[in-house]
Amino acid sequence: MKLYLKTKSVLDEREMQEMYRIEHRGLWGMYTLLCASVIVQLLFGADLIQMAGEMAVIGVVSVALIVAYARRGIWDAHSRPSAKGNALYAALSAVGVAVLVMGRRGSAVLALAAGGAMFALCFLLLTALMAYVRHRQSEQEKSLED
């Protein structure tokens, strides 16, 4: 494995950028399709045990991406961390969970409770992550000034 990692690239900078762009699109395409697959399986009544592998992959990839971005002080390519954005993303997650619970269980009360819990959990986690990313960004700015 070390031999593979230490080999010199035969691509120039333009080709490397194109390769990274292709890999980026491939990763997010695969991630989106995997998430859609789990949602469709949930709506068709599949057991959680049948989706365990896909859900494990989604979980591992999600955590790895979040940790990698946060450690480098990156929030998003199109926005800055804000409470308004956190509330929007948490609300979208809550609506998604509520729709899934409503479709699966048929209970509006249960869907509302699950959506509310998802909003609270998602907003709390995004706010904590936002504080960490802002801290990392300020550390990086200080190191650049020195």
Side-chain angles (χ1 to χ4, degrees), residues 34 85 100:
L34 199 53
L100 281 175

Side-chain angles (χ1 to χ4, degrees), residues 26-64:
L27 168 77
W28 286 109
M30 178 188 64
Y31 187 80
T32 303
L33 290 172
L34 199 53
C35 290
S37 168
V38 168
I39 291 169
V40 168
Q41 289 179 49
L42 276 171
L43 291 176
F44 282 122
D47 292 331
L48 291 179
I49 210 76
Q50 293 173 315
M51 299 177 292
E54 289 135 326
M55 290 170 47
V57 169
I58 291 170
V60 168
V61 170
S62 298
V63 169

Side-chain angles (χ1 to χ4, degrees), residues 70-73 131-141:
R71 287 184 63 202
R72 286 161 185 82
Y132 179 73
V133 168
R134 284 184 175 169
H135 172 73
R136 291 293 296 160
Q137 288 173 343
S138 67
E139 281 181 350
Q140 290 172 346
E141 287 173 5

Side-chain angles (χ1 to χ4, degrees), residues 71-131:
R71 287 184 63 202
R72 286 161 185 82
I74 299 170
W75 182 256
D76 186 38
H78 306 289
S79 66
R80 296 281 176 221
S82 69
K84 181 180 175 183
N86 291 351
L88 176 65
Y89 292 131
L92 290 173
S93 298
V95 167
V97 166
V99 167
L100 281 175
V101 170
M102 186 68 176
R104 179 106 181 189
R105 303 278 186 221
S107 169
V109 174
L110 188 58
L112 187 61
M118 176 54 77
F119 179 84
L121 178 65
C122 193
F123 187 76
L124 178 69
L125 290 174
L126 284 171
T127 302
L129 185 63
M130 177 180 72

